[in-house]
Amino acid sequence: MFGRLFGGKRGREEESELPEGLRLEVLKYNGDLYFVGSLEWAREGVYQVTAEDESELPYIEYGTQVKLRGRNKNEAIFVEGTIVGSSDEMWRIEQTKTVRGMDKRAFFRQNAKIDAMVTCANELRDGEEGAPNTSLGECFTGTIMNLSAGGAQIVTGASFEKDDWISVFDAELVPDEEPFSFLCVIRRRGEWGEDKTKFVYGCEFLEMGTAEQDRLLKAILTLQRKEIRARRGGPAI
């Protein structure tokens, strides 16, 4: 079952030294999420990954191609690999390719449906003084439909244009934690709903510091764990 567990470095572009305990997204090759994991150990290009919440792992066939995504010392890491061993407690993945400094927008996009407030922030884009969610104009209710480390899809009745800046605030991604505020630029715009009375915006986050990026990634992983537990019939908290 474990096959070439410590086989050669065929196709490997880079040896990656990742720390034990690193939080990782374990993905299908098409980008769909298998589970949120923790790196148990890594040596000679082989990674042993367990579920972060210690839940039972799904069955996977030997030789299946998978992807790992995470952050190490504020650097995005993306690993492509092949399953060379598995059980209901761990997967072993032989690395075939590692990319460092990956664009944060390439991270897994998580469904959310989180209420938030939205307002125009073009004053900030145009160099005028101001602060998000204070004096930048009328505020509107909206919903964050999904988000990643680099952006979000937002639905609201407010009409904005492509390349507008907007402030999204009072977004409570994780209960009992400080709500998030995002400064965004609109990259895509469309109509929403059967009656087309709302708009959907594809937004890219702007001016987010390292600490807030890390807090956002932790919140996204919390949402992922909640969704996985719900799919498996467990508690959603």
Side-chain angles (χ1 to χ4, degrees):
M1 184 178 184
F2 288 89
R4 301 184 297 108
L5 182 55
F6 296 103
K9 301 180 180 179
R10 177 177 54 85
R12 189 173 303 135
E13 293 190 357
E14 175 185 347
E15 284 292 334
S16 179
E17 298 179 359
L18 303 182
E20 294 179 4
L22 182 68
R23 181 180 292 169
L24 296 167
E25 297 172 348
V26 184
L27 308 170
K28 298 180 182 179
Y29 209 71
N30 66 4
D32 291 342
L33 182 71
Y34 276 122
F35 63 92
V36 178
S38 178
L39 181 64
E40 191 168 26
W41 52 255
R43 54 179 177 262
E44 298 186 24
V46 175
Y47 304 84
Q48 180 155 308
V49 182
T50 59
E52 188 180 44
D53 59 3
E54 300 182 350
S55 62
E56 183 175 312
L57 298 181
Y59 170 78
I60 191 166
E61 293 185 354
Y62 176 89
T64 301
Q65 292 181 308
V66 297
K67 297 178 180 180
L68 303 175
R69 288 174 177 162
R71 290 181 69 85
N72 181 33
K73 297 179 181 179
N74 297 323
E75 180 181 47
I77 300 294
F78 170 54
V79 175
E80 294 182 1
T82 302
I83 295 293
V84 293
S86 66
S87 71
D88 58 7
E89 297 179 348
M90 65 79 189
W91 286 6
R92 288 183 184 172
I93 300 158
E94 184 178 34
Q95 167 192 328
T96 57
K97 180 181 180 182
T98 298
V99 178
R100 296 180 181 273
M102 178 183 61
D103 189 326
K104 61 187 178 183
R105 286 171 292 178
F107 270 79
F108 176 78
R109 184 166 292 275
Q110 174 64 37
N111 293 328
K113 292 189 178 179
I114 301 294
D115 292 337
M117 299 299 295
V118 183
T119 188
C120 182
N122 284 339
E123 291 90 340
L124 299 181
R125 179 195 64 185
D126 298 335
E128 298 181 13
E129 294 184 358
N133 73 37
T134 55
S135 59
L136 297 185
E138 184 178 358
C139 295
F140 303 88
T141 59
T143 302
I144 299 174
M145 302 302 295
N146 58 59
L147 76 165
S148 70
Q153 183 186 73
I154 298 166
V155 171
T156 179
S159 179
F160 302 111
E161 299 299 327
K162 185 176 178 291
D163 297 326
D164 277 351
W165 282 26
I166 60 174
S167 173
V168 182
F169 57 99
D170 286 351
E172 189 176 295
L173 301 186
V174 180
D176 301 322
E177 291 192 8
E178 181 183 352
F180 283 82
S181 296
F182 307 112
L183 183 62
C184 314
V185 57
I186 295 174
R187 297 303 188 190
R188 294 174 300 280
R189 179 184 189 274
E191 295 178 329
W192 183 265
E194 292 183 0
D195 54 4
K196 298 182 180 180
T197 58
K198 292 187 176 182
F199 302 91
V200 56
Y201 301 101
C203 300
E204 179 184 348
F205 296 145
L206 300 171
E207 300 180 5
M208 187 180 297
T210 299
E212 192 68 357
Q213 286 181 359
D214 289 343
R215 191 169 79 93
L216 174 60
L217 284 171
K218 290 178 182 178
I220 290 172
L221 290 172
T222 298
L223 292 172
Q224 291 173 357
R225 290 196 300 271
K226 180 178 178 180
E227 184 177 282
I228 290 170
R229 290 192 187 105
R231 287 203 304 260
R232 294 176 179 173
I237 58 174

